[in-house]
Amino acid sequence: MLESSKAERAGGYRLGGLMLFASAGAILTALGFQYIGGYDPCALCLMQRYAYYAAIPLLFIAMALATEKPKLAGFVLLLVAIGFLANAGLGTYHAGAEWKYWPGPETCSSGAAGLPQSAADMLKGMENRVVRCDEASWRLFGLSFAGWNVLISLALFALGLRAAAASARNA
């Protein structure tokens, strides 16, 4: 009986660790594409990173609480899971805008700006370059960065639910 309880507790702890590892890997991959690959993110891409930036410290907290306060750890894991579900919704909106299913935010799309009148106007326009949210800069197997974020966020949501349930069982 004691051995199965330890195994169950380790299961929730492992799932939380897997979430932490996957979250850190996803955000490091995004930063690598940006700073090494030269793919500048649009405003929606940057917003989709918030879930990862919030999840990483929260997952550390959940891992620290897992043995002493498993119920609280489970609650933190549930909050992280809900955050990833919301992030999947934002990624779906972004991917839909890229596929032209609906319009993206006006702040992310190119307007019908005329040609620059002078070299100074052209330089000023280059300084204020807007990365479009309604055009995918990269695709792999038909999915853009936003599409991949949806899949990763949904996987982390499911993993978070399992980790939260495992922690709650150990309380």
Side-chain angles (χ1 to χ4, degrees):
M1 181 80 165
L2 184 60
E3 288 301 316
S4 69
S5 176
K6 282 184 179 180
E8 286 177 10
R9 186 169 294 153
Y13 192 75
R14 284 187 194 121
L15 291 173
L18 181 59
M19 283 183 72
L20 178 59
F21 180 75
S23 297
I27 199 63
L28 287 173
T29 300
L31 292 169
F33 270 101
Q34 178 181 351
Y35 291 109
I36 297 169
Y39 290 94
D40 290 331
C42 69
L44 284 176
C45 291
L46 292 173
M47 287 175 64
Q48 290 170 76
R49 294 179 183 182
Y50 296 163
Y52 298 96
Y53 293 145
I56 291 169
L58 287 172
L59 289 168
F60 269 116
I61 291 168
M63 298 298 290
L65 294 170
T67 56
E68 296 298 319
K69 299 186 180 193
K71 249 187 192 177
L72 186 55
F75 179 72
V76 173
L77 289 165
L78 182 62
L79 286 178
V80 171
I82 292 169
F84 278 117
L85 181 62
N87 199 44
L90 180 61
T92 301
Y93 168 69
H94 188 186
E98 291 172 343
W99 285 103
K100 311 293 188 239
Y101 291 140
W102 45 75
E106 290 182 22
T107 57
C108 288
S109 58
S110 68
L115 293 174
Q117 299 299 318
S118 67
D121 288 344
M122 187 167 65
L123 287 174
K124 187 170 181 101
M126 289 171 65
E127 289 174 3
N128 299 328
R129 187 172 81 98
V130 174
V131 178
R132 295 182 60 149
C133 295
D134 58 356
E135 287 184 2
S137 60
W138 175 87
R139 290 190 191 275
L140 178 64
F141 305 120
L143 293 177
S144 65
F145 289 121
W148 283 105
N149 179 56
V150 171
L151 295 179
I152 293 166
S153 292
L154 287 174
L156 287 169
F157 167 69
L159 197 57
L161 289 181
R162 287 190 62 198
S167 290
R169 278 194 305 267
N170 294 325

